[in-house]
Amino acid sequence: MKLVVGLGNPGLKYTGTRHNFGFMVIDELVRRYAANLTAGSFSALSGTIRLGCDKVIVLQPQTYMNSSGRSVAPAASYYRIEPEDILVVYDELALPLGQIRIRAKGSAGGHNGMKSIISSLGTEEFPRLRLGIDRPEDASRIVDYVLANFTKKEIATVEQVVSAAADAVETWVTQGTVQAMSKYNGSVIDNG
């Protein structure tokens, strides 16, 4: 069994924002597999999909980004899922829009949602799929930037990224982290 977590903030106010990129990927997986997300345990919306022989729990924490670990750790514990079988999907300022990057483990890199998950799980040893959102020119405006909607010009790229990221999740589940990294890291979706 695997756990795929998309990070974001709950509520209509945050729908379509850069910080909800992870939620968008979960929504795409749910759409592809005709699944449903329901509110229930773990302060999250969750559902189940099947990829090949694998049962996959998909999760959208409803704790707000900075407390995502309060949702992820209890879900992992309940389903007895080891950290290496948890994939966290989230927005990344350090990558350009259109680029995705899978890593087997690592630090939070300043991302508060990841800080919360690392703290709650007690380890950095879990895979993550980072979705580039660029960095604003004015570093003092990062909070406003990540909580803003993607621009009309960016929407086509965002849709491509969501589709490619869902493909990457499928590869991670069925073939593993190394294969997913080999296939998707370094690929940039055309912004033009």
Side-chain angles (χ1 to χ4, degrees), residues 50-69:
R50 286 217 172 265
L51 287 169
C53 298
D54 290 294
K55 180 178 178 182
V56 181
I57 307 300
V58 291
L59 196 74
Q60 290 179 336
Q62 301 295 291
T63 56
Y64 289 93
M65 180 67 77
N66 295 354
S67 299
S68 297

PDB file of all heavy atoms in Angstrom, residues 50-69:
ATOM      1  N   ARG A  50      -6.610   2.327  -7.352  1.00  0.00           N
ATOM      2  CA  ARG A  50      -5.789   1.139  -7.613  1.00  0.00           C
ATOM      3  C   ARG A  50      -4.932   1.395  -8.829  1.00  0.00           C
ATOM      4  O   ARG A  50      -5.432   1.775  -9.878  1.00  0.00           O
ATOM      5  CB  ARG A  50      -6.666  -0.077  -7.848  1.00  0.00           C
ATOM      6  CG  ARG A  50      -7.280  -0.606  -6.585  1.00  0.00           C
ATOM      7  CD  ARG A  50      -7.348  -2.140  -6.616  1.00  0.00           C
ATOM      8  NE  ARG A  50      -7.761  -2.644  -5.325  1.00  0.00           N
ATOM      9  CZ  ARG A  50      -6.919  -3.049  -4.389  1.00  0.00           C
ATOM     10  NH1 ARG A  50      -5.637  -3.027  -4.594  1.00  0.00           N
ATOM     11  NH2 ARG A  50      -7.365  -3.495  -3.237  1.00  0.00           N
ATOM     12  N   LEU A  51      -3.643   1.176  -8.670  1.00  0.00           N
ATOM     13  CA  LEU A  51      -2.693   1.269  -9.770  1.00  0.00           C
ATOM     14  C   LEU A  51      -2.044  -0.093  -9.906  1.00  0.00           C
ATOM     15  O   LEU A  51      -1.236  -0.484  -9.058  1.00  0.00           O
ATOM     16  CB  LEU A  51      -1.635   2.328  -9.487  1.00  0.00           C
ATOM     17  CG  LEU A  51      -2.098   3.780  -9.588  1.00  0.00           C
ATOM     18  CD1 LEU A  51      -1.051   4.715  -9.035  1.00  0.00           C
ATOM     19  CD2 LEU A  51      -2.414   4.140 -11.011  1.00  0.00           C
ATOM     20  N   GLY A  52      -2.420  -0.825 -10.932  1.00  0.00           N
ATOM     21  CA  GLY A  52      -1.923  -2.184 -11.058  1.00  0.00           C
ATOM     22  C   GLY A  52      -2.381  -2.990  -9.869  1.00  0.00           C
ATOM     23  O   GLY A  52      -3.560  -3.023  -9.541  1.00  0.00           O
ATOM     24  N   CYS A  53      -1.438  -3.608  -9.182  1.00  0.00           N
ATOM     25  CA  CYS A  53      -1.755  -4.410  -7.992  1.00  0.00           C
ATOM     26  C   CYS A  53      -1.735  -3.586  -6.719  1.00  0.00           C
ATOM     27  O   CYS A  53      -2.004  -4.100  -5.637  1.00  0.00           O
ATOM     28  CB  CYS A  53      -0.748  -5.549  -7.862  1.00  0.00           C
ATOM     29  SG  CYS A  53      -0.784  -6.689  -9.238  1.00  0.00           S
ATOM     30  N   ASP A  54      -1.379  -2.308  -6.848  1.00  0.00           N
ATOM     31  CA  ASP A  54      -1.181  -1.479  -5.661  1.00  0.00           C
ATOM     32  C   ASP A  54      -2.431  -0.702  -5.273  1.00  0.00           C
ATOM     33  O   ASP A  54      -3.069  -0.055  -6.109  1.00  0.00           O
ATOM     34  CB  ASP A  54      -0.054  -0.474  -5.897  1.00  0.00           C
ATOM     35  CG  ASP A  54       1.298  -1.145  -5.968  1.00  0.00           C
ATOM     36  OD1 ASP A  54       1.733  -1.691  -4.951  1.00  0.00           O
ATOM     37  OD2 ASP A  54       1.910  -1.121  -7.055  1.00  0.00           O
ATOM     38  N   LYS A  55      -2.746  -0.754  -3.985  1.00  0.00           N
ATOM     39  CA  LYS A  55      -3.788   0.105  -3.409  1.00  0.00           C
ATOM     40  C   LYS A  55      -3.100   1.389  -2.983  1.00  0.00           C
ATOM     41  O   LYS A  55      -2.068   1.351  -2.292  1.00  0.00           O
ATOM     42  CB  LYS A  55      -4.441  -0.591  -2.216  1.00  0.00           C
ATOM     43  CG  LYS A  55      -5.529   0.208  -1.556  1.00  0.00           C
ATOM     44  CD  LYS A  55      -6.147  -0.593  -0.400  1.00  0.00           C
ATOM     45  CE  LYS A  55      -7.203   0.219   0.307  1.00  0.00           C
ATOM     46  NZ  LYS A  55      -7.777  -0.524   1.453  1.00  0.00           N
ATOM     47  N   VAL A  56      -3.656   2.522  -3.397  1.00  0.00           N
ATOM     48  CA  VAL A  56      -3.048   3.815  -3.106  1.00  0.00           C
ATOM     49  C   VAL A  56      -4.060   4.688  -2.380  1.00  0.00           C
ATOM     50  O   VAL A  56      -5.161   4.923  -2.877  1.00  0.00           O
ATOM     51  CB  VAL A  56      -2.587   4.515  -4.406  1.00  0.00           C
ATOM     52  CG1 VAL A  56      -1.934   5.861  -4.085  1.00  0.00           C
ATOM     53  CG2 VAL A  56      -1.642   3.624  -5.202  1.00  0.00           C
ATOM     54  N   ILE A  57      -3.676   5.159  -1.202  1.00  0.00           N
ATOM     55  CA  ILE A  57      -4.477   6.138  -0.467  1.00  0.00           C
ATOM     56  C   ILE A  57      -4.025   7.516  -0.948  1.00  0.00           C
ATOM     57  O   ILE A  57      -2.825   7.819  -0.937  1.00  0.00           O
ATOM     58  CB  ILE A  57      -4.259   6.029   1.059  1.00  0.00           C
ATOM     59  CG1 ILE A  57      -4.490   4.605   1.556  1.00  0.00           C
ATOM     60  CG2 ILE A  57      -5.120   7.041   1.800  1.00  0.00           C
ATOM     61  CD1 ILE A  57      -5.869   4.060   1.313  1.00  0.00           C
ATOM     62  N   VAL A  58      -4.968   8.331  -1.408  1.00  0.00           N
ATOM     63  CA  VAL A  58      -4.643   9.707  -1.798  1.00  0.00           C
ATOM     64  C   VAL A  58      -5.222  10.633  -0.728  1.00  0.00           C
ATOM     65  O   VAL A  58      -6.312  10.401  -0.212  1.00  0.00           O
ATOM     66  CB  VAL A  58      -5.174  10.055  -3.207  1.00  0.00           C
ATOM     67  CG1 VAL A  58      -4.407   9.272  -4.268  1.00  0.00           C
ATOM     68  CG2 VAL A  58      -6.665   9.806  -3.338  1.00  0.00           C
ATOM     69  N   LEU A  59      -4.461  11.661  -0.390  1.00  0.00           N
ATOM     70  CA  LEU A  59      -4.784  12.481   0.773  1.00  0.00           C
ATOM     71  C   LEU A  59      -4.575  13.957   0.471  1.00  0.00           C
ATOM     72  O   LEU A  59      -3.551  14.341  -0.096  1.00  0.00           O
ATOM     73  CB  LEU A  59      -3.873  12.059   1.926  1.00  0.00           C
ATOM     74  CG  LEU A  59      -4.215  12.478   3.339  1.00  0.00           C
ATOM     75  CD1 LEU A  59      -5.386  11.661   3.875  1.00  0.00           C
ATOM     76  CD2 LEU A  59      -2.995  12.276   4.248  1.00  0.00           C
ATOM     77  N   GLN A  60      -5.555  14.770   0.857  1.00  0.00           N
ATOM     78  CA  GLN A  60      -5.432  16.225   0.841  1.00  0.00           C
ATOM     79  C   GLN A  60      -5.649  16.712   2.272  1.00  0.00           C
ATOM     80  O   GLN A  60      -6.786  16.806   2.733  1.00  0.00           O
ATOM     81  CB  GLN A  60      -6.478  16.869  -0.077  1.00  0.00           C
ATOM     82  CG  GLN A  60      -6.265  16.626  -1.544  1.00  0.00           C
ATOM     83  CD  GLN A  60      -7.363  17.266  -2.400  1.00  0.00           C
ATOM     84  OE1 GLN A  60      -8.477  17.501  -1.934  1.00  0.00           O
ATOM     85  NE2 GLN A  60      -7.048  17.521  -3.647  1.00  0.00           N
ATOM     86  N   PRO A  61      -4.569  16.988   2.999  1.00  0.00           N
ATOM     87  CA  PRO A  61      -4.736  17.473   4.373  1.00  0.00           C
ATOM     88  C   PRO A  61      -5.578  18.743   4.409  1.00  0.00           C
ATOM     89  O   PRO A  61      -5.423  19.627   3.568  1.00  0.00           O
ATOM     90  CB  PRO A  61      -3.304  17.763   4.826  1.00  0.00           C
ATOM     91  CG  PRO A  61      -2.459  16.869   3.969  1.00  0.00           C
ATOM     92  CD  PRO A  61      -3.153  16.827   2.640  1.00  0.00           C
ATOM     93  N   GLN A  62      -6.467  18.831   5.379  1.00  0.00           N
ATOM     94  CA  GLN A  62      -7.333  20.004   5.544  1.00  0.00           C
ATOM     95  C   GLN A  62      -6.912  20.829   6.764  1.00  0.00           C
ATOM     96  O   GLN A  62      -7.702  21.594   7.309  1.00  0.00           O
ATOM     97  CB  GLN A  62      -8.792  19.550   5.673  1.00  0.00           C
ATOM     98  CG  GLN A  62      -9.301  18.756   4.483  1.00  0.00           C
ATOM     99  CD  GLN A  62      -9.361  19.567   3.206  1.00  0.00           C
ATOM    100  OE1 GLN A  62     -10.170  20.477   3.083  1.00  0.00           O
ATOM    101  NE2 GLN A  62      -8.501  19.250   2.250  1.00  0.00           N
ATOM    102  N   THR A  63      -5.663  20.685   7.149  1.00  0.00           N
ATOM    103  CA  THR A  63      -5.132  21.328   8.346  1.00  0.00           C
ATOM    104  C   THR A  63      -4.518  22.690   8.067  1.00  0.00           C
ATOM    105  O   THR A  63      -4.026  23.325   8.981  1.00  0.00           O
ATOM    106  CB  THR A  63      -4.023  20.443   8.938  1.00  0.00           C
ATOM    107  OG1 THR A  63      -3.038  20.222   7.911  1.00  0.00           O
ATOM    108  CG2 THR A  63      -4.557  19.126   9.421  1.00  0.00           C
ATOM    109  N   TYR A  64      -4.521  23.107   6.826  1.00  0.00           N
ATOM    110  CA  TYR A  64      -3.746  24.223   6.306  1.00  0.00           C
ATOM    111  C   TYR A  64      -2.294  23.765   6.180  1.00  0.00           C
ATOM    112  O   TYR A  64      -1.815  22.889   6.902  1.00  0.00           O
ATOM    113  CB  TYR A  64      -3.886  25.506   7.136  1.00  0.00           C
ATOM    114  CG  TYR A  64      -5.268  26.122   6.982  1.00  0.00           C
ATOM    115  CD1 TYR A  64      -6.270  25.809   7.889  1.00  0.00           C
ATOM    116  CD2 TYR A  64      -5.558  26.954   5.910  1.00  0.00           C
ATOM    117  CE1 TYR A  64      -7.552  26.341   7.733  1.00  0.00           C
ATOM    118  CE2 TYR A  64      -6.836  27.481   5.748  1.00  0.00           C
ATOM    119  CZ  TYR A  64      -7.823  27.170   6.658  1.00  0.00           C
ATOM    120  OH  TYR A  64      -9.083  27.670   6.498  1.00  0.00           O
ATOM    121  N   MET A  65      -1.645  24.371   5.211  1.00  0.00           N
ATOM    122  CA  MET A  65      -0.318  23.929   4.783  1.00  0.00           C
ATOM    123  C   MET A  65       0.658  23.723   5.947  1.00  0.00           C
ATOM    124  O   MET A  65       1.312  22.686   6.046  1.00  0.00           O
ATOM    125  CB  MET A  65       0.255  24.962   3.810  1.00  0.00           C
ATOM    126  CG  MET A  65       1.629  24.635   3.289  1.00  0.00           C
ATOM    127  SD  MET A  65       1.654  23.191   2.219  1.00  0.00           S
ATOM    128  CE  MET A  65       0.978  23.891   0.718  1.00  0.00           C
ATOM    129  N   ASN A  66       0.760  24.712   6.819  1.00  0.00           N
ATOM    130  CA  ASN A  66       1.812  24.686   7.836  1.00  0.00           C
ATOM    131  C   ASN A  66       1.636  23.610   8.903  1.00  0.00           C
ATOM    132  O   ASN A  66       2.535  23.389   9.709  1.00  0.00           O
ATOM    133  CB  ASN A  66       1.929  26.055   8.506  1.00  0.00           C
ATOM    134  CG  ASN A  66       2.390  27.124   7.533  1.00  0.00           C
ATOM    135  OD1 ASN A  66       2.733  26.846   6.393  1.00  0.00           O
ATOM    136  ND2 ASN A  66       2.391  28.351   7.989  1.00  0.00           N
ATOM    137  N   SER A  67       0.492  22.926   8.905  1.00  0.00           N
ATOM    138  CA  SER A  67       0.250  21.852   9.874  1.00  0.00           C
ATOM    139  C   SER A  67      -0.029  20.521   9.174  1.00  0.00           C
ATOM    140  O   SER A  67      -0.660  19.637   9.754  1.00  0.00           O
ATOM    141  CB  SER A  67      -0.932  22.212  10.775  1.00  0.00           C
ATOM    142  OG  SER A  67      -0.670  23.382  11.508  1.00  0.00           O
ATOM    143  N   SER A  68       0.460  20.355   7.960  1.00  0.00           N
ATOM    144  CA  SER A  68       0.167  19.155   7.168  1.00  0.00           C
ATOM    145  C   SER A  68       0.553  17.859   7.866  1.00  0.00           C
ATOM    146  O   SER A  68      -0.098  16.821   7.693  1.00  0.00           O
ATOM    147  CB  SER A  68       0.881  19.235   5.810  1.00  0.00           C
ATOM    148  OG  SER A  68       0.408  20.321   5.062  1.00  0.00           O
ATOM    149  N   GLY A  69       1.585  17.893   8.673  1.00  0.00           N
ATOM    150  CA  GLY A  69       2.035  16.693   9.377  1.00  0.00           C
ATOM    151  C   GLY A  69       0.992  16.123  10.319  1.00  0.00           C
ATOM    152  O   GLY A  69       0.946  14.920  10.560  1.00  0.00           O
TER     153      GLY A  69
END
